[in-house]
């Protein structure tokens, strides 16, 4: 299995999970916040992966890479920050929505008692 195939599967799962969480909660995270977060994470990934690869902390087998690099970081490394941007805000929104509903239920029960 190539790193690109693994990254694609990982991104598909994150996109599906993020979409399902957004549908269930009927809320979407703010697009501007997602864009800024993605930009920051991609920039940090480019810088720190390049530093870690240059210092010899890890390396990739070139046989399994697509061949596109940003700095020294292979393009496949950027799937993980993108997946985080897709999945984590939707998960956060879903958990927050669940907590809000629970708190409203508790307040209703306390008010009727």
């Amino acid at each position: 299995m190539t790193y690109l195939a693994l990254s694609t599967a990982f991104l598909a799962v994150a996109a599906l999970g993020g979409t399902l969480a957004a549908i269930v909660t009927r809320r979407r995270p703010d697009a501007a916040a997602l864009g800024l977060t993605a930009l920051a994470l991609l920039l940090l990934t480019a810088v720190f992966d390049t530093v870690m690869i240059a210092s010899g902390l890890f390396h990739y087998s070139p046989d399994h890479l697509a061949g596109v690099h940003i700095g020294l970081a292979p393009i496949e490394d950027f799937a993980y920050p993108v997946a985080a941007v897709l999945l984590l805000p939707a998960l956060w929104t879903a958990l927050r929505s669940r907590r809000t509903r629970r708190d409203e239920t508790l307040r209703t029960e306390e008010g009727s008692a």
Side-chain angles (χ1 to χ4, degrees), residues 28-62:
R28 291 185 321 202
D30 182 19
L34 291 180
L36 288 173
T37 301
L39 182 64
L41 287 176
L42 291 171
L43 181 63
L44 289 169
T45 298
V47 169
F48 286 105
D49 279 14
T50 295
V51 168
M52 289 186 291
I53 291 167
S55 67
L57 290 176
F58 60 91
H59 71 280
Y60 294 95
S61 169

Side-chain angles (χ1 to χ4, degrees), residues 8-34:
T8 302
F10 189 74
L11 276 174
V13 169
L16 179 64
T19 302
L20 288 175
I23 289 170
V24 168
T25 61
R26 297 184 185 138
R27 294 182 182 184
R28 291 185 321 202
D30 182 19
L34 291 180

